[in-house]
Amino acid sequence: ETFSRTNYSFTDLGFGAKWTSLYEKAIWNLGFQFQHLNRPNLSYYNTEKIALPILSQIHAGTSLLINDKLTLLPGINFMKQNKFQEINVGIEGKMILKNESAKKYAVGLGLFYRTSDALIPMVSIYYNKFRFGLSYDINTSSLKKASNNRGGPEITIIYIAKKIKSGAHRRIVCPVY
C-alpha cells in the first residue's frame, strides 16, 4: 500500500482542572479533562480527513486516613469519546511501612471494576519518589471469547518530581500520588 505521507505527527490540545479539599482526615478531589480539543487529522491520505474525536473525562476520589499506617483510596472515573464510554470504580488500600524523611516505603492493594467489562486487581509498591504498579484486567464481558479468557497485564511506573519542603506538608492539601 502506498501512502501520500510516510511521516506523521500532529499537535494535540487538551485542558483539565482538579479541585482538592482537606476535610478532617480526608483529602477529597474532583476533576475533569478534555483531550483532542483541536480534533487533529489522523488520516495518512491528504484527501481524507479523519478527525480524532474529543475525549471527555470526569474523576473523583478521596484519600481516607484510617490511622498513621493505613489509607483507603476509593475513586471513580468516567470517560466518553463519541458513542463510547467507560466507567471505572474501585478502591486501593495503602499501608505505610516506613515514613522517614529520607526513606518512605508503602504497599498498596486494590480492586477496580470497569463496568460491564473487567475486574482489575492491582498491587503497588511505593518507594521514596517512585510508585511501581501491576494490574491485570480479568475479562467479565463477551470479550473473553475473543481473548480466550485472558485479560491484559499493565505495568505502571510513576516518578513524583515535586519536592515538598520540610514543614510545608501542613499547608499543602493536594495529595502527592
Side-chain angles (χ1 to χ4, degrees):
E1 188 170 0
T2 304
F3 294 103
S4 57
R5 305 168 23 180
T6 56
N7 292 328
Y8 194 69
S9 65
F10 55 83
T11 301
D12 190 5
L13 300 177
F15 172 79
K18 181 177 177 182
W19 169 81
T20 302
S21 179
L22 177 64
Y23 181 74
E24 294 185 9
K25 291 185 176 185
I27 299 171
W28 299 87
N29 61 75
L30 178 64
F32 68 90
Q33 71 172 355
F34 299 100
Q35 297 176 16
H36 323 307
L37 291 174
N38 58 324
R39 311 272 324 268
N41 182 13
L42 296 180
S43 176
Y44 275 99
Y45 300 102
N46 289 330
T47 58
E48 182 181 13
K49 179 168 172 71
I50 302 172
L52 183 58
I54 293 174
L55 172 65
S56 306
Q57 181 176 344
I58 299 171
H59 56 88
T62 186
S63 177
L64 302 168
L65 182 64
I66 303 303
N67 57 43
D68 62 342
K69 296 282 185 191
L70 181 63
T71 304
L72 294 180
L73 305 157
I76 187 166
N77 185 44
F78 172 76
M79 292 186 287
K80 183 168 178 52
Q81 188 173 33
N82 277 350
K83 63 181 180 177
F84 304 104
Q85 66 183 33
E86 174 177 302
I87 299 172
N88 292 304
V89 62
I91 190 166
E92 178 185 8
K94 180 179 171 184
M95 174 76 68
I96 306 284
L97 302 176
K98 191 172 213 175
N99 193 14
E100 298 173 1
S101 61
K103 294 184 180 181
K104 297 181 186 302
Y105 311 115
V107 294
L109 289 174
L111 185 63
F112 288 81
Y113 178 64
R114 186 170 46 244
T115 55
S116 304
D117 185 45
L119 196 60
I120 309 164
M122 51 90 58
V123 62
S124 296
I125 297 172
Y126 298 80
Y127 177 75
N128 292 332
K129 292 184 173 190
F130 286 93
R131 178 181 176 193
F132 303 95
L134 177 63
S135 65
Y136 190 82
D137 292 10
I138 301 168
N139 295 333
T140 59
S141 69
S142 58
L143 180 64
K144 61 185 171 183
K145 291 176 188 172
S147 67
N148 293 322
N149 290 319
R150 290 183 301 216
E154 183 175 313
I155 297 172
T156 306
I157 300 173
I158 298 171
Y159 176 74
I160 302 163
K162 182 176 174 103
K163 181 177 181 181
I164 299 174
K165 296 177 185 173
S166 179
H169 66 279
R170 290 184 203 106
R171 296 186 310 268
I172 297 174
V173 296
C174 183
V176 176
Y177 295 106

